[in-house]
Amino acid sequence: MANNKAPYKTTFEPEHTIQPIYTGGSVALDHSGRILATTIGEDALLTDLDTGKQLAKIDGDGELISTLTLTPSASHLIISSRSLSMRVYALKPSPISVDAINFELVRTLKPHTTPLVILAVDQTGTLLATGAADGVVKVWDIRGGYVTHTFRGPNVLISALHFFELVAGNRDKVSGISARNRRKEQRGNSTSTEAEPNEAARGFRLASGSRDGKVRIWDLYKRTCASTLDSHVSDVTALDYSSKENVLLTASRDKTIMWWDARTWKVRNVVPVLEEVEAAGFLESGRLTYTGGANGNIRIWESDNGREVTLPQSANGEADGVVSAISFGELPFILSVQADHTITLHSRKSLKDLGSMETIKPLDQIRRISGTHDEIIDLEYLLPDRSLLALATNSEEIRIISLSQSNNSSEHTYYFGADVAQLKGHEDIIICLDVDWSGHWVATGAKDNTARLWRVDPENSSFRCIATFAGHAESVGAISLQRTQPPESSPAYMNPLQHPPAFVLTGSQDQTVKRWDIPRLDAVTSTHKAPRALYTKKAHEKDINSVDVNHSGQLFASASQDKTVKIWSTEEGEVQGVLKGHKRGVWSVKFAPKDTPSIIGDSGPAAGKGLILTGSGDKTVKIWSLSDYSCLRTFEGHTNSVLKVAWLNIPNTDSGKKHIQVASAGGDGLVKVWDANTGDEACTLDNHEDRVWALTVHPVANMIVSGSGDSTITFWKDTTIATQAATTAAATEFVEQEQELQNYIHTKSYRQAITLSLQLNHPARLLSLFTSVLNVSPAEEGSLCGVKAVDEVLASLSDDQIFLLLLRIRDWNTNNRTSAVAQRILWALVRSYPATKLSSLKVRGAQDHNSLKEVLDALKVYTDKNYKRLEELIDESYLVEYTLNEMDGLGLFDEGKGTKGLEAVGQDMIIV
């Protein structure tokens, strides 16, 4: 039997992708607390807050979204963009998957002539309020799509809206309305063209806050302004109403919050919050009030006396400021949104049994969700099982995310991509990180000129900075830890949390490298003495971009913008060799893993100390020998700088051949895998839209993880073995089907032969089969093509099979030698099916030049051409027949007549 084994081909497929879910703007949550609506530029995203899975993505209209909101039951999503349009979508759970929501655009409106700023939906989910920059407030029927109320106030931007229903005892009271407001009411302040007031709306009110600090209470029943609350002196940012307390809450950027008595519309209490308040609302049926603002904290207050319940909290940075918050009556959390696009869930558990004069700690954080990771600068796997990932995200903190596949969002279980912890301590952007062999120790370098060592212990929720290394004069842009794995019987192997790496190496923009010895853990924690560098070496003439320690810990390499890579001894800090050959700065350097086989370079096999890999701004990747520091391989293919390189695991193949492969990430947004043995490009991985700064490889699964400036992290699964197995199986199946087809043709099993020929896409075999059928002599009586069994097959084909056969007939019809077969089979098809069926075939994937219309048009054109040619042949045959007949009539060659025959023929006929 022939060898059907497929050739070795490297393939990777994106298994997971972590993308931004929020990049600024409005955030909405349904009353169940499950569906989160966020904005990503001009698009809207619906996310399952429990599992982190994307439920739906609604494409925008080309303009950035200005605001959005969800109805309480998540039946509708309303989106407004800077194009002055408002789109209303109907949402329904997908019948196919619980992790998807189907959406349908119900209508598109232009609600205002000026930009729409704020949206609000009532508790029933039937009314929508829109507030514009010109001070106009409109109320809409969501399902009907028409305006029910239009309220015109001063030409001041509307900054907050809130529907509420007064308690029954206050519906008919008008106390608290000033004389000025009565006069406005009498003059018909509000404009409406709708039907008469509905009795059911007698108690409904709409509160609107504006940039001038005023709050207006609009009566939806009388269509008038019931009252104007004029006490704030800056933007009103939040409104809420408590039916139990009969109180309206207002919050403003004037650093105050106020409680208003809904019976008299007088101020019941004023509290100076001493920070610009961006979000506020009632908790526990109005007994408590929460606020969030510029200091980045959620604070709790007693509604009746204004006493702060939470202990004093220190102010956070500007990036941590709260820009909005959401809480509903039955939700166990408060959702807050920070200025850095982080979404935090704060537990309300401590508020349930709170005493009247009791003080509590700040609310516990249930979960932290990064709306976007910004620019991914570096990343590495953590822990021995590689279940966590550390990210350097163009910020002062390291974000640790979960790679667990669990969908359970309980307190101690995280879904894939969920934030687990943050390593905070640096005072400027972190630009590099490295991890030791165990994954418990992380080293970071930042623009604050320091490096830090962190211990990661998620089982005990401990993420501590153990040591800070200060001494560089400029940014620390390169860092590397010792990765030598200790013996399995050693205490360091058994308990890596208590045994940090022996040393850390740092490289800086000050052109120096430093080695820092790390003392034992008990010595580090017991003394507060800052570590000192064992040695400092002036390494390069320009910035140092990367350092790496080899598997034995005896050598380390430094790569610089001065186009060189230097090899150093770890103990003495002496240069062992210099790698020269790159034409621009070297961005990344990596030693080959232990037991990497040698490769054959241009000058012969490389053996000895090992190999080292570099990537440069000259768009090339190079492999060097550590024996003589010569370049063995140069890989060219990137169209921009190579920013990161990595060695892949050596796969186990049936042939026994060891395929040495390396990966590179470039400024062109591509990740490329190279074959080190041949120097060829194995495959290209494309899933990013910006520079790929970060690259790492799973030490066991060989999964490539790439991080880009587009805030996207892609996990590339190695599918080489699976692809090769599938290709081999497909080749074997193809051979078996070929033999099966031959058997069907030999035994004249026409149905199986025709369907299998169409399935295998064998037009030549199919043509031969039809030719033999048409040449059957004598033809069966009453058969369209000569054999009734073939007629029955042609009359019972599926739509897909008919279309495939029409494709073959189209091709045969273009050739004079095969057009007769094509016309006969086409005639059989036309006689077997009505024209309506042939013109409306339901075919999957038929498009462009293979669409049904194109196929039928081609058949018509060449059929006309063939019939025209046939008519010309028939005409010519008449002339030939006439000529032959006339030549017989001349009797030029009649025996015994001599020349008398010619004399008996007229002169005209002779001329003819």
Side-chain angles (χ1 to χ4, degrees):
M1 184 176 177
N3 184 15
N4 298 320
K5 186 176 180 181
Y8 186 86
K9 183 178 180 181
T10 302
T11 57
F12 284 83
E13 296 293 336
E15 185 178 43
H16 299 287
T17 302
I18 298 177
Q19 296 177 316
I21 66 169
Y22 173 64
T23 56
S26 296
V27 172
L29 187 69
D30 73 328
H31 275 209
S32 69
R34 172 178 173 259
I35 301 176
L36 177 70
T38 54
T39 56
I40 305 181
E42 62 185 47
D43 302 328
L45 197 68
L46 299 180
T47 305
D48 190 323
L49 201 57
D50 296 331
T51 64
K53 293 184 178 180
Q54 178 178 309
L55 301 176
K57 184 177 182 181
I58 296 98
D59 294 333
D61 58 1
E63 294 288 342
L64 294 177
I65 293 177
S66 56
T67 183
L68 60 75
T69 189
L70 270 174
T71 56
S73 62
S75 62
H76 291 82
L77 172 68
I78 300 95
I79 302 174
S80 175
S81 70
R82 293 184 180 178
S83 63
L84 302 183
S85 68
M86 182 174 70
R87 290 167 289 148
V88 181
Y89 292 89
L91 306 179
K92 292 182 180 179
S94 172
I96 302 175
S97 172
V98 295
D99 296 323
I101 288 180
N102 296 333
F103 59 90
E104 179 185 1
L105 180 62
V106 177
R107 59 181 51 86
T108 300
L109 306 168
K110 186 177 181 181
H112 296 271
T113 56
T114 57
L116 197 156
V117 180
I118 190 75
L119 297 172
V121 179
D122 75 324
Q123 293 295 318
T124 64
T126 58
L127 295 179
L128 169 71
T130 59
D134 60 359
V136 176
V137 176
K138 292 184 180 181
V139 181
W140 303 74
D141 185 291
I142 294 178
R143 289 177 173 81
Y146 56 85
V147 178
T148 62
H149 301 74
T150 300
F151 301 111
R152 302 187 186 277
N155 191 10
V156 181
L157 182 143
I158 303 297
S159 56
L161 289 171
H162 182 69
F163 282 101
F164 63 96
E165 184 178 6
L166 290 176
V167 294
N170 298 325
R171 291 183 177 181
D172 300 322
K173 295 183 179 181
V174 294
S175 58
I177 303 180
S178 65
R180 178 183 60 183
N181 289 329
R182 287 197 188 94
R183 287 195 299 270
K184 288 183 179 180
E185 181 180 350
Q186 293 168 1
R187 288 197 303 264
N189 175 274
S190 62
T191 303
S192 177
T193 60
E194 289 73 39
E196 292 299 318
N198 187 352
E199 192 68 24
R202 181 179 291 274
F204 283 103
R205 302 289 187 269
L206 174 64
S208 66
S210 55
R211 182 166 286 182
D212 60 2
K214 292 181 175 60
V215 177
R216 291 172 174 82
I217 309 299
W218 306 96
D219 189 329
L220 299 186
Y221 179 71
K222 297 182 178 180
R223 303 174 183 272
T224 60
C225 179
S227 186
T228 300
L229 314 182
D230 187 1
S231 289
H232 290 293
V233 295
S234 186
D235 300 27
V236 177
T237 54
L239 299 167
D240 201 4
Y241 175 77
S242 170
S243 59
K244 185 175 181 179
E245 300 291 334
N246 201 19
V247 170
L248 179 72
L249 170 69
T250 62
S252 171
R253 289 179 183 160
D254 62 5
K255 304 182 181 181
T256 64
I257 55 176
M258 297 183 184
W259 292 268
W260 302 79
D261 192 325
R263 288 185 293 270
T264 62
W265 294 122
K266 300 295 184 183
V267 176
R268 181 181 290 185
N269 204 350
V270 180
V271 172
V273 182
L274 303 181
E275 66 170 326
E276 293 184 359
V277 182
E278 298 292 339
F282 283 116
L283 300 172
E284 305 301 320
S285 301
R287 183 170 59 90
L288 300 174
T289 299
Y290 73 87
T291 61
N295 290 342
N297 300 315
I298 294 295
R299 302 162 69 182
I300 309 299
W301 311 79
E302 287 187 348
S303 301
D304 57 350
N305 56 21
R307 182 182 70 90
E308 185 172 3
V309 175
T310 48
L311 293 172
Q313 305 173 57
S314 59
N316 296 317
E318 182 179 352
D320 296 323
V322 176
V323 295
S324 65
I326 302 173
S327 182
F328 303 123
E330 300 301 325
L331 287 183
F333 58 81
I334 302 171
L335 183 146
S336 67
V337 182
Q338 278 75 40
D340 63 354
H341 307 150
T342 299
I343 300 171
T344 306
L345 305 186
H346 306 267
S347 174
R348 292 173 50 179
K349 187 177 180 180
S350 59
L351 305 178
K352 293 297 182 182
D353 302 320
L354 184 66
S356 59
M357 296 302 294
E358 189 177 350
T359 302
I360 60 173
K361 296 179 180 179
L363 301 183
D364 295 331
Q365 291 188 6
I366 302 175
R367 200 185 318 157
R368 184 179 185 270
I369 304 169
S370 295
T372 175
H373 290 300
D374 200 2
E375 196 166 359
I376 310 296
I377 298 177
D378 207 351
L379 52 79
E380 288 289 348
Y381 279 104
L382 297 180
L383 303 186
D385 60 356
R386 272 63 182 181
S387 59
L388 298 179
L389 191 70
L391 307 176
T393 60
N394 201 28
S395 64
E396 299 85 2
E397 64 183 23
I398 291 291
R399 296 180 181 177
I400 298 178
I401 63 173
S402 170
L403 302 183
S404 170
Q405 299 296 328
S406 173
N407 290 331
N408 185 1
S409 59
S410 64
E411 189 171 349
H412 300 289
T413 307
Y414 300 93
Y415 56 79
F416 189 91
D419 289 58
V420 176
Q422 298 79 41
L423 307 182
K424 296 183 178 181
H426 282 288
E427 298 176 355
D428 208 335
I429 295 175
I430 299 172
I431 52 180
C432 60
L433 67 89
D434 194 29
V435 179
D436 77 328
W437 68 272
S438 70
H440 283 291
W441 296 92
V442 182
T444 57
K447 288 186 176 181
D448 60 5
N449 304 348
T450 67
R452 288 176 179 260
L453 181 68
W454 311 80
R455 189 179 75 159
V456 177
D457 183 12
E459 290 188 2
N460 298 313
S461 299
S462 174
F463 304 89
R464 295 174 50 205
C465 177
I466 300 300
T468 301
F469 309 99
H472 282 290
E474 294 190 41
S475 301
V476 179
I479 197 164
S480 183
L481 286 170
Q482 182 194 25
R483 298 194 194 89
T484 307
Q485 181 173 317
E488 294 186 4
S489 59
S490 64
Y493 184 88
M494 302 297 294
N495 190 8
L497 283 170
Q498 300 300 322
H499 297 82
F503 61 85
V504 59
L505 290 160
T506 58
S508 170
Q509 289 184 1
D510 61 11
Q511 304 167 16
T512 65
V513 292
K514 292 178 181 285
R515 169 177 165 163
W516 313 79
D517 281 349
I518 303 172
R520 294 179 306 174
L521 186 61
D522 53 357
V524 172
T525 55
S526 60
T527 62
H528 299 285
K529 187 176 180 180
R532 297 186 63 183
L534 182 65
Y535 57 73
T536 301
K537 300 292 182 179
K538 175 70 165 59
H540 293 274
E541 300 301 322
K542 291 185 178 180
D543 299 356
I544 298 175
N545 295 324
S546 177
V547 295
D548 190 52
V549 181
N550 74 339
H551 60 83
S552 66
Q554 297 178 355
L555 298 175
F556 76 91
S558 61
S560 170
Q561 284 295 111
D562 65 4
K563 309 176 188 177
T564 65
V565 176
K566 293 186 178 181
I567 311 299
W568 307 74
S569 64
T570 305
E571 291 298 325
E572 299 84 11
E574 299 296 333
V575 176
Q576 305 296 305
V578 181
L579 310 180
K580 296 181 178 180
H582 282 296
K583 299 178 181 178
R584 290 194 177 181
V586 184
W587 282 102
S588 182
V589 61
K590 282 289 181 182
F591 282 98
K594 185 180 180 181
D595 300 328
T596 300
S598 60
I599 64 173
I600 300 177
D602 298 334
S603 58
K609 296 181 180 180
L611 306 172
I612 191 169
L613 179 68
T614 59
S616 167
D618 61 8
K619 311 174 188 177
T620 65
V621 179
K622 291 180 181 287
I623 295 179
W624 311 75
S625 171
L626 293 176
S627 298
D628 55 3
Y629 307 111
S630 62
C631 179
L632 302 176
R633 283 277 185 275
T634 298
F635 306 97
E636 298 180 348
H638 281 286
T639 58
N640 209 321
S641 300
V642 178
L643 303 174
K644 203 79 170 181
V645 293
W647 293 85
L648 299 184
N649 301 330
I650 299 176
N652 296 322
T653 59
D654 297 336
S655 63
K657 183 179 179 180
K658 294 186 176 181
H659 296 270
I660 306 173
Q661 294 177 330
V662 297
S664 61
D668 52 9
L670 302 176
V671 176
K672 290 182 179 289
V673 179
W674 311 88
D675 189 328
N677 294 316
T678 63
D680 297 330
E681 178 183 322
C683 62
T684 298
L685 315 180
D686 185 5
N687 194 42
H688 296 284
E689 298 177 354
D690 204 340
R691 295 183 177 185
V692 183
W693 289 102
L695 189 72
T696 191
V697 179
H698 194 288
V700 178
N702 209 33
M703 178 177 287
I704 298 175
V705 185
S706 57
S708 169
D710 60 4
S711 308
T712 301
I713 304 169
T714 305
F715 296 80
W716 303 93
K717 182 180 180 180
D718 187 354
T719 58
T720 301
I721 296 177
T723 302
Q724 187 178 22
T727 305
T728 302
T732 303
E733 183 182 7
F734 184 78
V735 171
E736 293 174 351
Q737 289 177 334
E738 282 275 341
Q739 184 61 48
E740 190 177 7
L741 176 60
Q742 293 287 354
N743 296 337
Y744 288 147
I745 295 175
H746 181 72
T747 59
K748 297 184 178 181
S749 300
Y750 294 115
R751 176 175 296 279
Q752 292 85 349
I754 291 173
T755 55
L756 192 57
S757 295
L758 292 173
Q759 178 184 342
L760 297 179
N761 192 22
H762 277 332
R765 295 276 171 81
L766 192 62
L767 177 63
S768 175
L769 175 62
F770 283 136
T771 303
S772 63
V773 169
L774 296 181
N775 291 333
V776 171
S777 180
E780 297 182 10
E781 185 178 354
S783 173
L784 297 176
C785 60
V787 178
K788 288 186 177 180
V790 177
D791 294 346
E792 295 175 358
V793 175
L794 295 178
S796 59
L797 296 176
S798 66
D799 285 4
D800 287 333
Q801 291 172 335
I802 294 174
F803 182 72
L804 289 175
L805 184 55
L806 288 174
L807 287 176
R808 302 285 78 82
I809 293 174
R810 178 198 64 182
D811 297 338
W812 300 336
N813 200 37
T814 60
N815 192 320
N816 292 338
R817 284 178 290 183
T818 58
S819 61
V821 178
Q823 288 296 321
R824 186 70 175 271
I825 302 302
L826 178 61
W827 180 68
L829 280 179
V830 172
R831 292 290 300 273
S832 301
Y833 298 97
T836 55
K837 179 175 178 61
L838 294 177
S839 61
S840 60
L841 295 176
K842 297 180 179 179
V843 185
R844 293 171 295 178
Q847 56 184 358
D848 299 334
H849 64 281
N850 283 336
S851 67
L852 180 61
K853 182 179 182 302
E854 293 292 331
V855 173
L856 295 178
D857 289 344
L859 283 172
K860 179 180 181 300
V861 169
Y862 277 95
T863 299
D864 291 342
K865 180 179 179 182
N866 289 330
Y867 273 104
K868 184 178 180 181
R869 181 175 56 84
L870 188 60
E871 289 175 355
E872 292 175 352
L873 287 175
I874 293 175
D875 292 343
E876 292 174 0
S877 69
Y878 288 151
L879 179 60
V880 171
E881 183 180 4
Y882 172 77
T883 304
L884 291 176
N885 290 335
E886 292 300 322
M887 291 178 66
D888 290 341
L890 289 175
L892 295 176
F893 305 103
D894 289 346
E895 295 182 0
K897 293 183 178 181
T899 60
K900 295 181 180 179
L902 289 175
E903 295 175 354
V905 180
Q907 185 68 27
D908 292 338
M909 181 60 68
I910 293 174
I911 294 174
V912 173

